[in-house]
Amino acid sequence: MKDNSVLSRFGVSNDNAATENEGLDDLGSFGWLRGIRDRAIMLELRHKDGRISAFGYAWLKHVDFDPSGDLVLDFSGEKVRIRGQNLAAEVRPSQQLISGILRHRVVWIQEADEPTLLEGGSSATVIEEIKLAG
């Protein structure tokens, strides 16, 4: 059966499951919104044990970065400590984890499992641990 709808004639799919990640770059340790004006509503934290935590960017009131490898995000009293390596390094031109968080362009952060930690290399941004503390 041929779909003759107006949308299909212009190449627009009416499928709600259509490419949710179309405007998202997977940079290994984190996901980056491509659109220059795009902003994430929430930051998803993916733990290596399969748990997922998410925090609304609207509640992010303070970011503290220590070049030794600690990044602390304060979501109105709920603190998230992210420990890793090369957290301020550019993964691609103008794309680094910290600047992406400050501009609400990072959609998710992925905690690395053991094989990823070993394969990471010295210049890769790798998230070793995500810890929630109230």
Side-chain angles (χ1 to χ4, degrees), residues 2-71:
K2 189 175 178 184
D3 184 4
N4 288 323
S5 73
V6 173
L7 290 175
S8 68
R9 281 186 262 154
F10 289 100
V12 177
S13 171
N14 196 16
D15 182 11
N16 288 337
T19 60
E20 179 181 306
N21 294 326
E22 226 173 64
L24 183 70
D25 284 332
D26 182 341
L27 300 176
S29 293
F30 58 97
W32 183 278
L33 284 174
R34 278 189 207 141
I36 194 123
R37 291 192 164 95
D38 287 347
R39 298 292 176 262
I41 296 170
M42 296 190 84
L43 175 62
E44 181 179 322
L45 305 172
R46 300 174 179 177
H47 303 271
K48 60 183 148 196
D49 64 3
R51 290 180 304 119
I52 296 175
S53 306
F55 293 88
Y57 268 115
W59 299 103
L60 182 61
K61 67 178 199 173
H62 183 79
V63 176
D64 188 29
F65 172 66
D66 179 353
S68 69
D70 273 353
L71 176 63

Side-chain angles (χ1 to χ4, degrees), residues 29-125:
S29 293
F30 58 97
W32 183 278
L33 284 174
R34 278 189 207 141
I36 194 123
R37 291 192 164 95
D38 287 347
R39 298 292 176 262
I41 296 170
M42 296 190 84
L43 175 62
E44 181 179 322
L45 305 172
R46 300 174 179 177
H47 303 271
K48 60 183 148 196
D49 64 3
R51 290 180 304 119
I52 296 175
S53 306
F55 293 88
Y57 268 115
W59 299 103
L60 182 61
K61 67 178 199 173
H62 183 79
V63 176
D64 188 29
F65 172 66
D66 179 353
S68 69
D70 273 353
L71 176 63
V72 179
L73 310 176
D74 185 349
F75 290 94
S76 294
E78 181 79 26
K79 294 195 181 194
V80 176
R81 180 176 303 279
I82 299 167
R83 178 165 290 147
Q85 46 187 301
N86 302 314
L87 300 181
E90 277 191 334
V91 177
R92 290 187 185 159
S94 301
Q95 291 181 336
Q96 61 184 160
L97 178 62
I98 293 171
S99 70
I101 290 171
L102 296 176
R103 295 184 289 150
H104 301 194
R105 302 281 300 276
V106 173
V107 178
W108 56 263
I109 298 173
Q110 174 72 49
E111 193 174 36
D113 55 9
E114 289 300 318
T116 307
L117 286 172
L118 296 173
E119 296 169 4
S122 62
S123 63
T125 297

